[in-house]
Amino acid sequence: MIEKTKQSTEEKQLKDQHHHLHPFSDPAGLKKDGVRVIESAEGVYLRDSDGNRILDGMAGLWCVNLGYGRPELVEAACHQMKELPYYNTFFKTTHNPAIKLAEKLSEITPKHMNHVFFTGSGSECNDTVLRMARHYWASKNQPEKQIFISRENAYHGSTVAGASLGGMKPMHKQGGLPIPGIVHIQQPYWYGEGGDLCPEAFGLKAAQSLEEKILELGEDNVAAFIAEPIQGAGGVIVPPETYWPEIKRILNKYDILLVVDEVICGFGRTGEWFGSDYYGLQPDMMPMAKGMSSGYLPIGGVMVSDRVVEVLEAGGDFNHGFTYSGHPTAAAVALENIRILQEEKIVEKAKTTVGPYLQKRWAELANHPLVGETRGVGMVAALEITNNKEARTRFDDNGTAGTVCRDFCFKNGLVMRAVGDTMIISPPLVISHAEIDELVTKARKCLDLTMEYFNAAV
Ligand code: PXG
């Protein structure tokens, strides 16, 4: 329905404040500052209720890979809603969009993965993974293989299993997490935790903490290792080059499943279809969501390897599933999204033209006095704000510099996220070279403003 009477931003903010509880937000802070009301979007730009045009450097929440306003996705949803808006995939039933999407996902994911378990989100994927891996080992008469090894500062979702698998301390503090059977090892975050080691030596050390943990727990008790190829919400942590090869060596030695969480890296973010392609990984399970439909409708799925499927198929009922597993309208939109990504060679361009240009321009920010490091892969990047480039120290321990910079970005028409004092971007894959120039110019301006802020405070 079209809104009849135009409400002011203040009125909307007030109503929102009275009736809407926001994710990951301090209600008192929202009350004080008011929320931003986003009303429309086109390409890589958002428009808010005051008419401001904002460059979306985060593709929504790392998901709008195709950019906003693609009519084909709207038409795909509309067509499917008229034909079959909803039906389930339980009880010996399926439908055309689920069949087609499962087949398409088998085509674009690594060769040894040919089955998908559909979900509505990344968190649901990771709840699925936890139960599926344990069911897998129980079906192989090794029910004691229960433990998941994850990493500190990983993000795997907000459900009970997702947040437990994740390694975010503030999340664990609420609601009695992590649940039993999940342990965390060191993350490969050289800038923050590498100390005097060079990145390569630190990457090896971080990877070897996996082997130490397996030996401590006993291989017979470990079900799986779960990791994002590049940690996203943790601050775009691109592991040192030595990290994944060493992890692969360790996993080859022990009989443990590898779960590669592709919720952010999947569907072209790294310039390959999946982060697993970028790092040459052979996952047993691959949670996917976000870019699967470019966020136009909620949908996710766990891609499962042939060797796991073989055991599951002999293992009887897997008592797990969601009302919206394989939702036909969401599946139709995902299919159309993948068709466009393929036909317009968007993933290829992320590897050969747009990605390299973004990385080149982004790396220029390293000469800014506040920037301790820039890093990135394909269409995702980060920079570290520091008060001393050599010592890699921070203005304080509270991430104040990141928040200050983030707020300047808001005011200057750029969405760039802060994770502590790490500034991160993950723009739509379709961003043009001119828009990348604008993004980098705005980012530099906001770094300048942040520096002025701290100089004035002295
Ligand atoms: N795995 C990964 C790697 C993710 O990044 C999830 C699982 C969970 O997906 P759902 O669809 O349940 O949200 C995610 C989600 C942030 C931010 O602030 C990141 C995510 C979600 C919300 C905020 O960077 N990632």
Side-chain angles (χ1 to χ4, degrees):
M1 283 247 301
I2 313 271
E3 240 179 304
K4 289 225 175 68
T5 46
K6 188 113 180 78
Q7 290 178 329
S8 70
T9 298
E10 290 71 26
E11 282 171 307
K12 291 179 189 186
Q13 287 173 327
L14 218 53
K15 286 191 181 173
D16 190 83
Q17 195 189 101
H18 287 160
H19 302 294
H20 186 179
L21 292 168
H22 287 257
F24 284 91
S25 304
D26 170 16
L30 285 188
K31 211 170 187 165
K32 187 169 141 281
D33 301 335
V35 290
R36 184 189 284 259
V37 185
I38 300 298
E39 294 201 324
S40 62
E42 186 64 35
V44 300
Y45 292 99
L46 307 166
R47 181 135 347 234
D48 73 11
S49 53
D50 294 327
N52 295 310
R53 192 164 179 257
I54 306 149
L55 176 52
D56 184 5
M58 284 304 298
L61 263 184
W62 322 78
C63 54
V64 189
N65 290 9
L66 267 192
Y68 300 93
R70 290 296 302 230
E72 302 93 325
L73 299 198
V74 181
E75 279 150 27
C78 189
H79 175 80
Q80 186 56 44
M81 279 189 143
K82 285 181 190 154
E83 197 157 290
L84 179 71
Y86 174 75
Y87 202 71
N88 70 69
T89 51
F90 289 44
F91 317 129
K92 299 183 180 171
T93 310
T94 191
H95 46 67
N96 291 327
I99 296 169
K100 286 190 202 157
L101 181 58
E103 187 186 24
K104 177 55 78 179
L105 291 168
S106 303
E107 175 199 315
I108 64 174
T109 51
K111 276 198 180 57
H112 68 291
M113 312 193 88
N114 292 293
H115 291 75
V116 62
F117 190 102
F118 285 119
T119 72
S121 69
S123 298
E124 287 178 9
C125 281
N126 285 322
D127 277 51
T128 301
V129 151
L130 185 87
R131 299 197 62 217
M132 189 183 273
R134 289 176 174 173
H135 174 53
Y136 165 85
W137 289 114
S139 303
K140 282 181 64 130
N141 286 326
Q142 290 171 273
E144 66 291 350
K145 275 175 90 70
Q146 291 266 318
I147 301 174
F148 266 67
I149 301 179
S150 179
R151 303 178 303 175
E152 286 158 8
N153 197 35
Y155 190 80
H156 296 297
S158 266
T159 48
V160 170
S164 297
L165 288 167
M168 303 263 168
K169 293 224 164 62
M171 292 178 79
H172 290 172
K173 274 197 199 133
Q174 296 171 336
L177 304 181
I179 52 173
I182 296 173
V183 299
H184 299 84
I185 58 170
Q186 178 166 35
Q187 58 176 332
Y189 180 27
W190 174 77
Y191 189 86
E193 300 177 6
D196 294 336
L197 293 178
C198 67
E200 291 71 27
F202 175 71
L204 274 183
K205 180 172 167 274
Q208 282 158 4
S209 65
L210 174 62
E211 188 157 31
E212 284 158 27
K213 190 53 88 177
I214 293 169
L215 294 173
E216 175 195 322
L217 297 166
E219 180 186 359
D220 294 343
N221 297 313
V222 179
F225 172 59
I226 181 169
E228 304 150 79
I230 294 167
Q231 282 156 267
V236 182
I237 293 161
V238 181
E241 277 176 17
T242 46
Y243 183 76
W244 276 114
E246 181 66 0
I247 293 280
K248 281 200 282 185
R249 183 195 66 75
I250 295 164
L251 289 173
N252 278 338
K253 202 163 148 191
Y254 302 95
D255 197 12
I256 289 169
L257 299 177
L258 170 61
V259 181
V260 180
D261 186 335
E262 296 273 5
V263 170
I264 283 178
C265 290
F267 302 94
R269 182 57 56 196
T270 64
E272 300 286 349
W273 273 92
F274 293 92
S276 295
D277 300 323
Y278 184 81
Y279 287 112
L281 308 176
Q282 289 253 308
D284 291 291
M285 294 178 198
M286 228 169 70
M288 314 171 294
K290 293 192 188 275
M292 192 162 160
S293 64
S294 281
Y296 278 52
L297 281 179
I299 185 165
V302 180
M303 212 66 208
V304 187
S305 69
D306 295 342
R307 77 157 173 163
V308 171
V309 167
E310 201 177 303
V311 173
L312 295 181
E313 283 185 344
D317 277 10
F318 178 38
N319 298 311
H320 181 84
F322 307 101
T323 303
Y324 301 128
S325 286
H327 190 290
T329 307
V333 169
L335 262 172
E336 186 61 9
N337 174 58
I338 296 169
R339 184 191 70 73
I340 296 173
L341 287 174
Q342 284 186 315
E343 280 191 16
E344 297 184 5
K345 301 196 183 330
I346 290 169
V347 180
E348 226 171 283
K349 287 181 198 158
K351 180 176 180 171
T352 56
T353 55
V354 191
Y357 188 70
L358 176 71
Q359 296 302 334
K360 176 176 151 281
R361 295 291 341 260
W362 186 258
E364 291 167 16
L365 294 170
N367 68 11
H368 192 280
L370 279 196
V371 175
E373 179 188 76
T374 60
R375 57 176 179 265
V377 167
M379 298 299 294
V380 62
L383 62 81
E384 299 282 357
I385 300 182
T386 181
N387 61 357
N388 182 328
K389 283 187 186 238
E390 277 69 46
R392 312 206 301 264
T393 48
R394 310 291 192 182
F395 284 92
D396 62 30
D397 291 336
N398 306 321
T400 308
T403 309
V404 167
C405 185
R406 197 260 330 266
D407 290 350
F408 280 127
C409 291
F410 254 59
K411 287 190 198 120
N412 285 278
L414 173 66
V415 176
M416 175 155 75
R417 229 165 79 56
V419 177
D421 287 340
T422 312
M423 303 307 299
I424 60 182
I425 54 155
S426 170
L429 307 186
V430 296
I431 190 170
S432 70
H433 285 211
E435 289 159 349
I436 290 172
D437 292 341
E438 181 188 336
L439 187 157
V440 173
T441 303
K442 282 187 166 161
R444 186 176 287 277
K445 178 177 177 194
C446 296
L447 287 165
D448 287 344
L449 290 166
T450 306
M451 194 163 67
E452 279 169 29
Y453 171 93
F454 280 104
N455 286 344
V458 176

